[in-house]
Amino acid sequence: MTTEIIPLFIDGAWRTGAAGDTIPVVDPATEEVFSSVACASAGDLDLALDAAARAFLSWKHVPAAERARVVGRAADLIEGRKFEIARILTRENGKPLAEAEGELQFCADASRWYAEEGKRAYGRVIPSRSPDVRQIVMREPVGPALGFAAWNFPGGNVTLKIAAALSAGCSIIVKPSDETPGTAAAIARCFEEAGVPAGVLNVVFGPPAEISRHLIASPIAKKVSLTGSTPVGKLLQRQAAETLKRCTMELGGHAPVIVFADADLERALDALVAAKFRNAGQVCTSPTRFFVHESRYEDFIRGFVERTQTLTIGNGLDRTVSIGPLITSRRRELMDGFVQDATARGARIVLDGGRRDGKGYFYAPVVLRDVPDEARIMTEEPFGPLVPVTPFASFDEVIARANALPFGLASYAFTRDASTVARVSDALDAGQVGINHTSVHEPETPFGGVNESGYGAESGIEGLDAYLRTKLVTTLAL
Ligand code: NAD
């Protein structure tokens, strides 16, 4: 059977890799290989680096308003093709179509937001100590950038890097995940058709370790932006240190949820069940450690199980499905390991899901109660549809337990008390705190982690700032 080969995009041309190697792309709902992706050779990567270097020299001088028009046109194209691209995304990634369509709408909205914000990369004039001196602070694009992106938001992770870099005046080489290349290629075509000049955007695929090592070693690239796991973040940061490249690290999380005694339990449960099973739990901000006040513990568990039992698992292309498959078979083994470890340490299963027979990497939700904080599921990012629940008694106790891990991405609290809102917002050690809801990422709000969840931000003015550097021009009047 011949399948489509998704090409590389280098210097304005779509091409197969020089070595002719490809990686199969698998539909996680059927286990069918339905396309493959071209692998970049070292020569292809050098072409991309040279193209990005050349293109940067002209793109940085294109007026911000014109760059905004190009990125804005890309946003319109993404929005216009959202249903078409969403089908590719669902086939590669497994998430239900409605989620895929929502993600593509986010891509369009974020591109539009960055396009406009690129016009506001303001510098400033600093009053001088001498009447003859004028001091101007300029904001300039940092240079050719590198973007490495995870498969869990195949559209969003890639678009945030492209739109920010281009709006700031940088060129970029993006390395999307090889599990989800079709979505990235479809988005790149929108930018190409919007009028992005050759070399300003390049997309490469292939073995991640070799590609990142080669690209990051190059002095041409001035910036690394990774959306991925914490171990890969540490590796890429070490590589980037050789040439002192600036990094934005969007890494893993392990989000605590605190349900206080005065929470609106029905609304909390609705929000948390929806957030937990988004992309089958494979979301960096997914609620993953459920701390519930002992007075609401039994009601919370009952309500969570009841709601979860109404969800349908299946192929995301079916509109009635609310939970798709995991991305690979291996992730199911990891889920089994977490559950076995937790039960061996005394946790009890209250909703027994797990693997399903037949094709597809499906894994039904598992809800566990009385999970000790030492269980692996409470310390390692689970990235799947597992729900460990544990009771707590006091504010200080739960904050200490919530903050006990090296991660610090998202965190959530549910309470109706204004003073608890203020105290918990201050106390949680995380880049995002969601109170009484779980929406912690919009195009205009900064999104990023602290501690081993990374540093820097995407979206918001901080997201544009990540691709800008500062230059002082001080002029003595003669
Ligand atoms: P990953 O770290 O394995 O891969 C991410 C990117 O790094 C991909 O482009 C991949 O090709 C590349 N990569 C992978 N292994 C590499 C290696 N050895 N050397 C160099 N590059 C390598 O992550 P993943 O499994 O694709 O994604 C899941 C992780 O991403 C989770 O930890 C999740 O929390 C995190 N994530 C974080 C955010 C955020 O914004 N903080 C968003 C989404 C996902």
Side-chain angles (χ1 to χ4, degrees), residues 191-254:
F191 281 90
E192 178 195 18
E193 289 173 34
V196 172
V200 170
L201 168 63
N202 305 273
V203 183
V204 296
F205 301 101
E210 288 165 36
I211 291 195
S212 61
R213 199 182 314 111
H214 193 98
L215 291 176
I216 295 175
S218 167
I220 288 174
K222 306 296 184 216
K223 156 96 195 169
V224 172
S225 175
L226 166 72
T227 301
S229 61
T230 295
V232 170
K234 291 178 181 178
L235 177 74
L236 299 200
Q237 172 157 338
R238 279 196 292 273
Q239 293 172 352
E242 285 299 316
T243 45
L244 277 183
K245 291 189 204 327
R246 281 172 54 177
C247 297
T248 297
M249 290 288 172
E250 297 281 4
L251 308 180
H254 205 329

Side-chain angles (χ1 to χ4, degrees), residues 149-152 175 208-209 212 227-229 232 250-252 284 381 383 447:
W151 46 266
N152 67 334
K175 158 71 177 80
S212 61
T227 301
S229 61
V232 170
E250 297 281 4
L251 308 180
C284 54
E381 185 182 27
F383 230 54
F447 180 84

